[in-house]
Amino acid sequence: MSNREVVTLSVGGVRFVTRASTLQHFPDSRLARMLNGDDQEFKLVNGEFFVDRDGTLFGYIMDFLRTLQVSLPTDFSDYQRLQREAEFYGLYPLADLLSQEHLLKPRLEILEVRFSLQEMQAFFRIFGSCSSTVETLAEQITVFAGQQSGQSWNSPFPSQKPLVPLPLERPSHHDMVLQCGTDYSAGDQFVARYVSIKPDNRKLINGTNVLGLLLDTLLKDGFRLISTRTVSSAEKAECYSFERMRRPAGLTLTVSHTPGSSGAAQVKRSQAQKGK
């Protein structure tokens, strides 16, 4: 690549190296005019363009120019400062986007696990405020059914007979119901239900073990346990409440833009995430 194709900028002491074509995505912006020497705010020093602005925030601006998308960390809070930086550089589609904080801010997501023991069976009801999270979790969980002879529900070994996967009960898009353990069917026959939660390959029949694996799965997925309470001591029913910060659907927004145009852009929601 020639020197004209590679551009080096020093923004507030932070160095960035990029293509000239990246800076020209919006021809009316100050970054595009900088390449033609038409903006005195940018000083060319030893082959590098120097500008006395915030270098950390400029990293998000460079990411926008490279991808034509806005992707911010969940703990990001400097929307107004970043908007001012976008306006300074003449990137008005980005500035307009940042003015819509309600689309960009992460939201609090709640998930509850209700667990109860009844004789040799354990029952679970999982409720989530975000339907896509519940859908993803439902894809990880499989319940298997089979018959055993003369075995209790604490037996760690599945029956030799083939186990049949059962569909999860889904009362709504926001919750699911499942159970494990054994129940008498006839004589010394047991109907046994095992639970498997990916990526763990075990088939668990003991309710306490399933609960432990489920809670561990949620913690690894970014949830934080905020409370545990007894719903019914008589029925041995407990409720575990979790929360996490989640990007709303459409946080990553794509700018429909044709390089070389006037810089007017249409903003649309990305379909990368689904659910409400």
Side-chain angles (χ1 to χ4, degrees), residues 20-245:
S21 58
T22 299
L23 300 176
Q24 293 169 331
H25 266 132
F26 297 87
D28 291 341
S29 72
R30 298 183 74 175
L31 290 170
R33 296 199 306 269
M34 172 194 73
L35 299 177
N36 300 323
D38 296 337
D39 196 316
Q40 297 303 313
E41 188 73 33
F42 300 87
K43 305 295 183 181
L44 189 59
V45 181
N46 296 326
E48 297 183 4
F49 288 98
F50 174 80
V51 59
D52 190 17
R53 303 294 292 192
D54 191 302
T56 300
L57 293 179
F58 189 73
Y60 298 117
I61 289 175
M62 282 304 307
D63 183 62
F64 170 76
L65 290 172
R66 287 167 174 152
T67 65
L68 298 183
Q69 295 181 342
V70 179
S71 300
L72 301 174
T74 55
D75 59 350
F76 186 83
S77 60
D78 291 334
Y79 295 97
Q80 292 184 351
R81 289 183 60 213
L82 184 55
Q83 181 183 351
R84 287 197 300 268
E85 293 301 293
E87 291 172 347
F88 170 82
Y89 292 108
L91 296 171
Y92 296 108
L94 175 59
D96 292 343
L97 193 59
L98 291 167
S99 68
Q100 305 178 60
E101 291 187 29
H102 65 284
L103 294 178
L104 299 171
K105 286 184 176 179
R107 62 180 179 180
L108 184 65
E109 180 181 359
I110 302 296
L111 189 139
E112 287 190 350
V113 177
R114 294 204 172 204
F115 169 70
S116 64
L117 288 172
Q118 298 178 17
E119 296 182 350
M120 294 186 294
Q121 298 184 79
F123 298 85
F124 297 83
R125 184 162 194 148
I126 303 171
F127 172 83
S129 59
C130 180
S131 61
S132 62
T133 297
V134 178
E135 185 67 32
T136 300
L137 189 59
E139 293 173 357
Q140 293 178 256
I141 299 176
T142 305
V143 177
F144 297 90
Q147 285 193 335
Q148 302 182 30
S149 298
Q151 297 181 12
S152 71
W153 82 304
N154 287 310
S155 172
F157 303 106
S159 168
Q160 295 301 317
K161 297 180 180 179
L163 297 177
V164 179
L166 300 176
L168 292 178
E169 294 183 47
R170 297 293 305 278
S172 75
H173 292 295
H174 289 272
D175 59 350
M176 72 178 83
V177 177
L178 61 136
Q179 68 183 88
C180 65
T182 57
D183 189 19
Y184 287 105
S185 57
D188 64 347
Q189 293 292 313
F190 288 89
V191 175
R193 287 184 177 86
Y194 299 83
V195 173
S196 177
I197 305 176
K198 296 177 181 178
D200 195 295
N201 294 320
R202 292 174 296 169
K203 295 181 177 64
L204 303 176
I205 194 172
N206 183 290
T208 302
N209 293 341
V210 173
L211 176 64
L213 178 58
L214 177 59
L215 301 187
D216 184 60
T217 300
L218 294 174
L219 292 173
K220 289 180 178 178
D221 201 30
F223 280 98
R224 181 172 67 94
L225 181 63
I226 57 175
S227 69
T228 302
R229 68 182 189 274
T230 300
V231 179
S232 172
S233 56
E235 297 179 0
K236 298 182 180 180
E238 300 174 338
C239 180
Y240 298 81
S241 298
F242 294 82
E243 69 176 20
R244 72 174 176 182
M245 297 303 294

